[in-house]
């Protein structure tokens, strides 16, 4: 009966409404509730809903999966289309615009209306769109949807308003760009080919007008047929039937000959005087074999034929290499005269385009560069130099140089930080670029007035960290740090050891950075932490290494009596202050036959190393292997420069390291952190029951039964199948399609017996399923662990675990009170025995269904560890995946010399606070509602030259909760946010002032306390795509926008908030999307964005006479309006294509209105230009009148002279 009463007490303690100090914590979602408080806190909140608006600001990086390319030679702007329907428009640095087609269809082709401020896009859904670029945010003006034919090729002649559209059926249609309506003039395929031809010519693959006569249209069909169509006569001038399929064609500027590229790797030259056969056929990369035959070559996908005044023509093409050499990289070939240069590319070529001096196709082209769009890069080749160097790319196109694994965003950084990072990073820039400036220099961008220093950090799979200047919605590389340099190169291994090794062992999992003290802490996937300090000078250093055993012995402790006799972290001879919880740094040792025990995953460089200026490694902390099992990944990290402490945790427990003394202060299991204040009743499992391991893979799902919570078992005595929880997200190919694996329940040894090592066929191997390594081989090192709670989402997933499993085969350690049926059956009796005492919204379930309470968040700060504390002390706030918040007070010596010698003391205080779901974030407010910053140490360069005036002591900056509260008394407010709930707690009384249930149907992925509009709020991003802000401290909902559903774990892993109402996430493996939820930022965004279109006078055509240049005519007057207009060609069939008007609604009106000022400025400039031209016209008219007067005078004099002469006198 006593035992039963204890169970009831445990149920009462852990009930949903039983949160300490909050009788109303079980309130409905979205309803903040206030609890009675011992004293009134009167804070005037200034934030209202009108202060918030969600808006995308800018997208950085390389366009993911590019498909098309276009260039405006007059405006000098570039457009790139992608497979997901996106269009990036680039100009000078700062001019970067992203547009998205609503349909999401792939962009097949792009065509600029040269110098008109418009762009035509052809998409895979057979729709043409006309974009207006004369505004900072382009919008669609017209769309034309083809219903019966598939679009294959488009061509828009310069200064023409008629667009030629080729289709899969071989027909050519003509679209009026102004009205976006089809003309009745159609070139049908059966009229274009000869009547004797029995086969269909195939889709249209090329369209171009003859440079000599705009009334002649060259049509290329896939089968190899080429037709020149006379638009006036509506007949074919000539037809060419070639044996090989055609991929592209290009004219000589004189219009007398053209070149075609073919599928057999050949180039054919054709003369219009004789089209019976080509006058030249070349195989640029085809060699003659010994038997006299040409070796087979790959297709030449595109060719451009450009002429030059001072030299031979340029022939530029992609492809055409011979098949015999496997593994050759993609190439771009430049033929200039007899010289053939082959440029090897790192990635496949998507598209290329030669940049020429003139936009007219009937003039000498004078190419000066080639833009090459690769699958993962954009390069510009300088054609003016014989060695064809590459121009330096000013855009941040190398974000994905190694797959991005984590991000961090810092706004309002110290102003001197960006220049010093840039100066050090500039010393390591690559060289060998062309001296010519980047040719894509169009648009106009000015630095906005509301700018402040912003820095973005990206962690990568190869262990590198990049610092980016993100001020004024731009992105520029500042500095790159390679964390792998702190370690020895891993030696190649074979066999089972190779399966246990990570493919990317240095991959960055998370970063913690203090901009004020310039201390950087990096967590790697191999359970290692590196502490860096910044210095402007190089130095010779030896890296200190600490090894932490955050796992207990491998013995399986089953019964409570055994556990009492074998405390989890007790070890004789321990030299730590807490001998029962701390393992000293032990030297690495290997057990026989490659079995690993008490060794780290990586080997730190032990010798003295010379490190350059910048971030220099000072300390490396590594978790150790235990009993042949690798350490669990680190799930949380925090560092405080003022305290000189670093804390980290995983699913086994918590460790705290003194960064100044280089010692381990605390190493505790999560259960031991509670002391006697454990809020949960944890049941033991019957020692008679023994679960057998199942071979193969089992599917993870949520269960009606709760997971067993065994207090008697140590955190690491569970022999789980997969010690490493990771998300195998393959950013190197397509991140959305990766096969992960789940693991099965494991067998346990008999009660009271130590586990005996067994052979490969024993439980040690089979508990993972056959051949499953505990360290999963990451297909890229974007294999980052993420601890999210199980829940129903609003995007079609039964639970969070099902969602994660579908995307990445992730294994979780949380469960929900709403579960689905398990794929493998447990008996009811076993379920009851292995169940937790109540169904909870968030608990911990390891992949082997044993207790794993992870440390999910950590925060150092000045706070109150106990209710009776009178003054704030340094504290460490700890959040766990069971929704528990713990406060650990610390005693840190104040004197500098004592701090370096006297050990810091710390220990659990017994303060336990409860929330629903895993704890995500802590924040601290004073009693006036202002955010309390964490204390920090002012940066000082330890490697600087000796200076007697320089202060050697540490200078600390503290933000004490009681410093600004003389009128409010002692105390401060603690903001605690979990995956389901947010609470504001008054310290030190620990009274819950406000509670808000954020979501019931989903779960929060990211949360942070941020400053917006001179106030603070709590920002949350949920898995169902909602972004919410809550006022502080009252937790009133201020904004709830359904912004972005969680479609893959890349977003969850990289989403982060920052001050100023900004956030970012990795929208694709190669792009960073920045957003804002501040109304003020949205209002100022138009001023911060660059102008894509600037008024530029179109260059005049060359070799024109005075009268032709004056009246704007050319040598071949061709009135397309008369030919294609409705009066002569009639109307097209309504069923052929459907016209769709441009975007409407308030957003479109705002976008259009945003360009009014620019339109007025352009109109003013146009008026000035018109006045200037009228002035020139007046001068010319006066000159002609003077000439006429002189001519009249001379004629009159001649008449008078000859008037009286007879005919025979001449």
């Amino acid at each position: 009966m006593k035992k039963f009463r204890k169970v009831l007490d445990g149920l009462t303690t852990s009930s949903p409404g039983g949160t300490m100090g909050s009788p109303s914590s079980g309130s409905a979602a979205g309803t903040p509730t206030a609890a009675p408080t011992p004293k009134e806190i009167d804070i005037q909140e200034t934030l209202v809903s009108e202060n918030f608006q969600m808006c995308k600001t800018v997208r950085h990086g390389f366009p993911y999966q590019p498909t098309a390319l276009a260039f405006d030679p007059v405006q000098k702007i570039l457009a790139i289309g992608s497979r997901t329907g996106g269009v990036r428009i680039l100009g000078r640095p700062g001019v970067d615009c992203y547009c998205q087609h609503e349909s999401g269809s792939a962009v097949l082709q792009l065509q600029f209306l040269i110098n008109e401020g418009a762009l035509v896009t052809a998409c895979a859904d057979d729709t043409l769109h006309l974009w207006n670029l004369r505004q900072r945010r382009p919008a669609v003006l017209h769309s034309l949807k083809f219903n019966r034919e598939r679009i294959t090729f488009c061509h828009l002649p310069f200064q023409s308003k008629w667009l030629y559209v080729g289709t899969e059926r071989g027909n050519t249609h003509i679209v009026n760009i102004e009205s976006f309506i089809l003309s009745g003039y159609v070139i049908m395929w059966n009229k274009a080919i000869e009547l004797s031809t029995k086969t269909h010519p195939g889709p249209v693959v090329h369209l171009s007008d003859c440079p000599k006569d705009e009334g002649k249209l060259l049509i290329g069909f896939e089968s190899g047929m080429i037709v020149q169509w006379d638009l006036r006569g509506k007949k074919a001038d000539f037809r060419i039937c070639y044996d090989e399929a055609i991929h592209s064609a290009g004219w000589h500027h004189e219009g007398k000959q053209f070149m075609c590229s073919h599928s057999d790797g050949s180039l054919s030259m054709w003369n219009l005087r004789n089209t019976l056969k080509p006058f030249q056929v070349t195989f640029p990369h085809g060699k003659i074999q010994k038997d006299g035959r040409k070796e087979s070559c790959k297709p030449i996908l595109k060719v451009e034929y450009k002429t030059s005044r001072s030299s031979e023509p340029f022939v530029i093409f992609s492809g055409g290499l011979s098949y015999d050499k496997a593994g050759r990289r993609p190439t771009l070939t430049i033929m200039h005269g007899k010289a053939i240069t082959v440029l090897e590319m790192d990635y496949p070529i998507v598209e290329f385009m030669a940049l020429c001096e003139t936009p007219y196709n009937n003039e000498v082209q004078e190419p000066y560069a080639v833009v090459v769009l690769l699958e993962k890069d954009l390069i510009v080749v300088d054609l003016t130099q014989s060695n064809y160097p590459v121009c330096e790319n000013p855009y941040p196109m190398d974000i994905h140089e190694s797959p991005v694994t984590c991000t961090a965003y810092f706004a309002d950084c110290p102003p001197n930080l960006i220049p010093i990072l840039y100066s050090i990073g500039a010393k390591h820039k690559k060289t060998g670029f062309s001296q010519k400036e980047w040719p894509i220099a169009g648009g106009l961008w000015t630095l906005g007035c509301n700018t402040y220093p912003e820095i973005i950090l990206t962690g990568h799979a190869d262990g590198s960290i990049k610092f980016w200047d993100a001020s004024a919605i731009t992105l520029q590389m500042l500095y790159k740090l390679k964390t792998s340099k702190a370690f020895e190169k891993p030696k190649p291994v074979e066999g089972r050891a190779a399966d246990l090794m990570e493919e990317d062992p240095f991959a960055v999992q998370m970063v913690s950075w203090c901009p004020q003290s310039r201390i950087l802490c990096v967590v790697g996937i191999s359970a290692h932490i590196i502490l860096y300090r910044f210095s402007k000078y190089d130095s010779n250093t030896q890296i200190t290494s600490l090894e932490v055993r955050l796992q207990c012995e491998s013995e399986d402790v089953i019964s409570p009596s055994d556990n009492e006799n074998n405390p989890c972290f007790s070890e004789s001879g321990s030299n730590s202050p807490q001998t029962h919880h701390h393992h000293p740094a032990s030297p690495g040792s290997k057990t026989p036959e490659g079995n690993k025990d008490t060794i780290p995953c990586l080997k730190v460089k032990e010798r003295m190393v010379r490190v350059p200026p910048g971030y220099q490694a000072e300390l490396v902390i590594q978790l150790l292997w235990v009993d042949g099992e690798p350490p669990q990944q680190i799930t949380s990290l925090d560092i405080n420069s003022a305290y000189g402490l670093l804390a980290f945790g995983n699913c086994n427990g918590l460790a705290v390291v003194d960064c100044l003394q280089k010692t381990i202060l605390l190493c505790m299991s999560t259960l031991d952190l509670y002391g006697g204040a454990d809020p949960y009743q944890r049941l033991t499992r019957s020692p008679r029951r023994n679960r057998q391991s199942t071979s193969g893979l089992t599917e993870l799902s949520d269960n009606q039964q709760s997971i067993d919570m065994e207090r008697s078992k140590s955190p690491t005595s569970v022999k789980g199948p997969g010690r490493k929880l990771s998300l195998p997200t393959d950013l190197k190919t397509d991140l959305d399609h990766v096969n992960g694996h789940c693991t099965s329940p494991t067998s346990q040894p008999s009660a009271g017996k130590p586990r005996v090592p067994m052979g490969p066929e024993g439980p040690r191997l089979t508990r993972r399923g056959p051949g499953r390594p505990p360290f999963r081989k990451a297909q890229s090192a974007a294999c980052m662990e993420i601890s999210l709670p199980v829940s129903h989402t609003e995007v079609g997933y039964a639970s969070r675990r099902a969602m994660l499993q579908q995307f990445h085969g992730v294994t979780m350690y949380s469960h929900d009170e709403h579960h689905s049926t398990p794929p493998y059956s447990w008996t009811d009796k076993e379920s009851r025995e292995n169940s937790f005492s109540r169904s909870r919204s968030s608990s911990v379930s390891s992949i082997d269904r044993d207790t794993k309470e992870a440390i999910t968040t950590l925060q150092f700060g000045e706070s109150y560890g106990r209710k009776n504390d009178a003054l704030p002390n340094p504290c460490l706030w700890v959040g766990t995946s069971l929704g528990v918040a713990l406060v650990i007070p610390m005693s840190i010596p104040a004197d500098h010399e004592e701090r370096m010698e006297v050990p810091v003391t710390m220990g659990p205080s017994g303060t336990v606070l409860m929330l629903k779901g895993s704890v995500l974030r802590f924040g601290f407010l004073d009693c006036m509602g202002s955010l309390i910053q964490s204390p920090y140490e002012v940066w000082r360069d330890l490697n600087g030259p000796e200076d007697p005036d320089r202060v050697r002591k540490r200078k600390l900056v503290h933000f004490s909760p009681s410093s600004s509260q003389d009128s409010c008394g002692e105390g401060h407010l603690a903001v605690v946010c979990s995956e389901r709930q947010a609470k504001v707690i008054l310290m030190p009384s620990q009274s819950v002032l406000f509670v808000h249930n954020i979501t019931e149907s989903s779960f929060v992925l990211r949360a942070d306390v941020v400053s917006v509009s001179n106030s603070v709020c709590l920002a949350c991003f949920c898995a169902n795509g909602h972004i919410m802000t809550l006022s502080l401290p009252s937790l009133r909902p201020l904004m709830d926008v359904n912004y972005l559903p969680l479609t893959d774990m890349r977003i969850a892993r990289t989403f982060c908030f920052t001050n100023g109402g900004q956030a970012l996430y990795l929208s694709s493996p190669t792009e960073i999307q920045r957003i804002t939820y501040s109304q003020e930022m949205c209002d100022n965004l138009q001023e911060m964005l660059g102008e894509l279109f600037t008024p530029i006078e179109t260059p005049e055509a060359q070799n024109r006479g005075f009268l032709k240049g004056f009246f704007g005519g050319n040598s071949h007057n061709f009135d397309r309006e008369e030919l294609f207009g409705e009066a002569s060609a009639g109307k097209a069939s309504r069923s052929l294509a459907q016209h769709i008007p441009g975007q409407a609604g308030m957003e479109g009106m705002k976008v259009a209105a945003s360009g009014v000022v620019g339109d007025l400025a352009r109109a003013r400039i146009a008026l000035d230009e018109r006045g200037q031209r009228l002035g020139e016209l007046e001068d010319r008219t006066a000159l002609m009148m003077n000439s006429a007067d002189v001519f009249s005078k001379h004629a009159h004099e001649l008449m008078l002279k000859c008037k009286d002469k007879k005919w025979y006198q001449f």
Side-chain angles (χ1 to χ4, degrees), residues 794-806:
E794 296 177 4
V795 289
Y797 299 103
S799 68
R800 193 204 77 218
R801 183 175 298 174
M803 176 194 64
L804 298 184
Q805 181 184 350
Q806 174 174 343

Side-chain angles (χ1 to χ4, degrees), residues 445-580:
W445 181 77
T446 56
L447 192 64
C449 56
N450 298 325
T451 60
Y452 44 84
E454 299 176 72
I455 293 179
I456 294 174
L457 271 63
T458 55
H460 299 266
D462 61 353
S464 62
I465 295 176
K466 294 181 180 179
F467 292 74
W468 305 86
D469 178 12
S471 307
I473 69 170
T474 61
L475 197 69
Q476 183 181 8
M477 177 78 164
L478 291 175
Y479 173 70
K480 182 178 179 180
L481 172 66
K482 296 181 179 179
T483 63
S484 59
K485 290 187 175 181
F487 303 96
E488 302 286 355
K489 290 185 179 179
K491 295 180 180 179
V493 292
E494 297 179 356
R496 184 173 181 267
D499 294 334
L500 299 180
M501 290 296 293
E502 275 290 340
E503 182 178 328
D504 297 303
F506 308 112
V508 179
Q509 188 174 351
M510 66 180 74
V511 294
S512 179
W513 185 48
C514 177
Q516 288 78 16
S517 62
R518 303 183 188 178
I519 289 181
L520 173 68
C521 202
V522 181
V523 174
I525 199 171
S526 298
H528 64 273
I529 302 172
I530 312 176
L531 176 66
Y532 288 92
R533 290 188 184 271
F534 186 83
S535 176
K536 296 188 292 184
Y537 307 94
D538 55 0
S539 65
N540 292 318
T541 18
Q542 185 169 6
I543 303 172
T544 304
S545 177
L546 287 179
E547 295 172 356
V548 180
R549 185 186 176 100
L550 202 54
Q551 286 171 295
C552 75
E553 297 302 325
S554 58
E555 310 260 339
D556 281 320
V557 184
I558 299 297
S559 65
S561 59
D562 292 337
N563 187 47
E564 292 170 4
N565 300 327
N566 297 280
C568 174
F569 279 93
S570 63
E571 180 179 289
S572 60
S574 175
N575 59 357
S576 69
Q578 297 84 12
T579 57
H580 292 283

Side-chain angles (χ1 to χ4, degrees), residues 425-445:
K427 299 176 182 177
H428 305 285
K429 277 193 173 182
K430 297 178 181 179
T431 57
F433 294 108
S434 171
Q435 298 299 320
K436 293 199 70 173
E437 293 184 357
W438 185 255
I440 306 164
L444 182 65
W445 181 77

Side-chain angles (χ1 to χ4, degrees), residues 376-433:
K376 295 183 180 180
D377 202 0
L378 176 71
I379 64 172
V380 173
V381 180
D382 184 4
L383 295 180
T384 60
Q385 300 183 40
S386 58
N387 60 340
Y388 302 127
V390 175
C391 298
E392 186 175 6
N393 194 330
Y395 311 128
M397 293 278 185
D398 57 345
I399 293 175
H400 63 286
E401 184 179 16
S402 175
V404 178
T405 54
C406 70
T407 58
Y409 193 5
F410 299 89
D412 206 7
C413 297
N416 59 343
L417 197 53
I418 291 177
I420 194 169
L421 285 172
Y422 182 79
S423 63
I424 292 178
K427 299 176 182 177
H428 305 285
K429 277 193 173 182
K430 297 178 181 179
T431 57
F433 294 108

Side-chain angles (χ1 to χ4, degrees), residues 66-350:
T67 54
L69 181 70
F71 182 71
D72 188 327
V74 179
Q75 289 290 322
K76 296 192 182 302
I77 56 177
L78 186 81
I80 301 174
S82 71
R83 192 179 301 175
T84 56
V87 179
R88 283 283 291 280
I89 305 172
L90 303 169
R92 67 176 68 246
V95 179
D96 188 342
C97 180
Y98 174 78
C99 313
Q100 176 67 44
H101 292 92
E102 291 183 358
S103 64
S105 300
V107 178
L108 300 180
Q109 198 173 350
L110 299 168
Q111 287 279 329
F112 273 108
L113 276 66
I114 297 177
N115 205 28
E116 295 292 334
L119 175 70
V120 175
T121 59
C123 296
D125 60 350
D126 307 307
T127 306
L128 298 173
H129 303 274
L130 178 64
W131 293 82
N132 178 18
L133 306 183
R134 291 179 177 244
Q135 53 197 41
R136 294 176 188 261
R137 284 188 175 273
V140 174
L141 294 177
H142 301 281
S143 297
L144 188 66
K145 169 72 173 175
F146 280 75
N147 298 322
R148 295 184 298 182
E149 298 192 49
R150 307 296 305 271
I151 299 173
T152 57
F153 196 86
C154 299
H155 171 63
L156 180 65
F158 179 47
Q159 293 182 327
S160 169
K161 67 176 183 177
W162 298 94
L163 175 71
Y164 302 112
V165 181
T167 68
E168 192 176 26
R169 292 188 180 180
N171 303 325
T172 302
H173 300 274
I174 302 171
V175 178
N176 187 314
I177 291 297
E178 293 180 349
S179 61
F180 237 58
I181 297 176
L182 272 179
S183 168
Y185 192 111
V186 183
I187 305 174
M188 305 298 292
W189 68 270
N190 54 356
K191 294 183 179 179
I193 66 173
E194 293 181 351
L195 297 178
S196 59
T197 305
K198 297 181 180 180
T199 58
H200 191 279
V204 176
V205 296
H206 177 79
L207 292 169
S208 61
D209 52 332
C210 177
K212 185 173 64 174
D213 187 355
E214 296 176 351
K216 311 288 186 181
L217 183 66
L218 189 70
I219 307 173
F221 297 93
E222 189 180 54
S223 63
M225 176 167 286
I226 306 169
V227 176
Q228 179 168 292
W229 185 261
D230 185 355
L231 294 170
R232 300 185 191 88
K234 299 183 180 180
K235 60 183 180 63
D237 288 343
F238 63 82
R239 300 179 177 92
I240 298 173
C241 295
Y242 198 68
D243 297 335
E244 295 295 334
I246 292 176
H247 286 279
S248 68
W251 281 97
H252 188 279
H253 80 275
E254 293 178 351
K256 298 177 181 179
Q257 60 186 25
F258 60 91
M259 178 182 292
C260 296
S261 67
H262 301 279
S263 58
D264 62 347
S266 65
L267 297 173
S268 60
M269 291 281 291
W270 301 83
N271 197 311
L272 297 189
R273 294 181 180 178
N274 181 13
T275 57
L276 297 177
K277 63 177 182 178
F279 72 88
Q280 183 181 356
V281 177
T282 59
F283 288 81
H285 297 298
K287 299 178 182 178
I288 301 177
Q289 298 177 343
K290 293 181 180 180
D291 55 1
R293 293 184 302 173
K294 289 273 187 182
E295 61 181 350
S296 58
C297 297
K298 299 176 183 178
I300 296 179
L301 301 178
K302 183 179 180 180
V303 64
E304 290 208 355
Y305 187 22
K306 303 298 180 182
T307 55
S308 176
R309 285 191 182 87
S310 57
S311 62
E312 296 289 328
F314 285 87
V315 177
I316 308 167
F317 62 90
S318 61
L321 295 177
S322 59
Y323 279 106
D324 60 345
K325 295 182 180 179
R328 295 186 65 175
R329 294 196 292 178
T331 61
L332 182 76
T333 305
I334 302 175
M335 299 173 60
H336 189 209
K338 295 182 179 180
I340 299 179
T341 305
V342 180
L343 305 178
E344 289 190 338
M345 304 294 168
D346 293 331
Y347 308 103
I349 297 175
V350 176

